[in-house]
Every structure is written in structure tokens, then in C-alpha cells.
Amino acid sequence: MTTVNHRHERIGEEIAHEINAMLAGELKDPRLEISVVVNQVLIAQDMRHARVLVGARGTQAEQKGAIKALEHAANFIRHEIVERLQLAAPSYRCF
């Protein structure tokens, strides 16, 4: 396993951990009251994008509601992940 792949895996695990923490108590949408958990996070090679795979228990209508709630909260989740893990690249000035 290369160092790059290992780094992708570690970052994916940290993202999954943080989102699961948000699902456990920070996201207050009633549609997320069913059991929703992050199963896997796939990181793009350039590390600019991540695909989060989730699992939800409940009826099909409850599952669809949970997905809608996650889509609605996507910007908040994205912002929190960047803040918590400090993933954004620092901005540099050229003199």
C-alpha cells in the first residue's frame, strides 16, 4: 500500500468519524431520527472531493427523508468537516 492511499484512507476514516458524531447529536432534523450511519468515505485522487456512503434503517419513506435531510445539511456538514479537520489548503501570497 502506498503512502498516498494510506493518507486517503486515514482522511476518509476521520471524515466518517466526524459525520457520525454530527449524526449522533448535532444535526437536529427530525428526519434523521432513524438510524443513519456513514459506511464508507471515498476520497478522490486530488483530494478535492469525497463521496460519503451512508446506510439508513427504517421504511423506504423514512430512508428517503433521511437522504433529503442530509442533502439539505450538506453545506453545514462540509463546512464543519473543513473546520474540524483543517483540510483546506492554506492560501499563499506571491510577492
Side-chain angles (χ1 to χ4, degrees):
M1 177 180 299
T2 66
T3 306
V4 174
N5 287 338
H6 186 64
R7 181 165 189 238
H8 282 79
E9 287 178 13
R10 285 183 299 148
I11 290 174
E13 289 172 3
E14 286 298 316
I15 290 172
H17 175 75
E18 291 297 330
I19 294 174
N20 280 326
M22 286 183 232
L23 288 168
E26 295 173 42
L27 298 174
K28 300 296 184 192
D29 194 311
R31 296 173 290 184
L32 295 173
E33 289 179 1
I34 65 170
S35 176
V36 179
V37 66
V38 175
N39 292 329
Q40 186 177 14
V41 177
L42 305 172
I43 307 289
Q45 287 296 325
D46 62 2
M47 297 191 65
R48 290 182 170 213
H49 301 281
R51 179 168 294 203
V52 179
L53 306 175
V54 298
R57 290 192 177 188
T59 65
Q60 192 167 7
E62 290 172 332
Q63 290 174 358
K64 286 182 181 182
I67 297 301
K68 293 273 188 201
L70 289 171
E71 289 171 351
H72 181 73
N75 288 333
F76 171 77
I77 294 170
R78 201 174 295 125
H79 172 75
E80 286 295 310
I81 293 297
V82 169
E83 289 293 316
R84 293 178 187 195
L85 300 181
Q86 299 177 352
L87 291 176
S91 55
Y92 294 102
R93 283 186 172 172
C94 295
F95 296 105

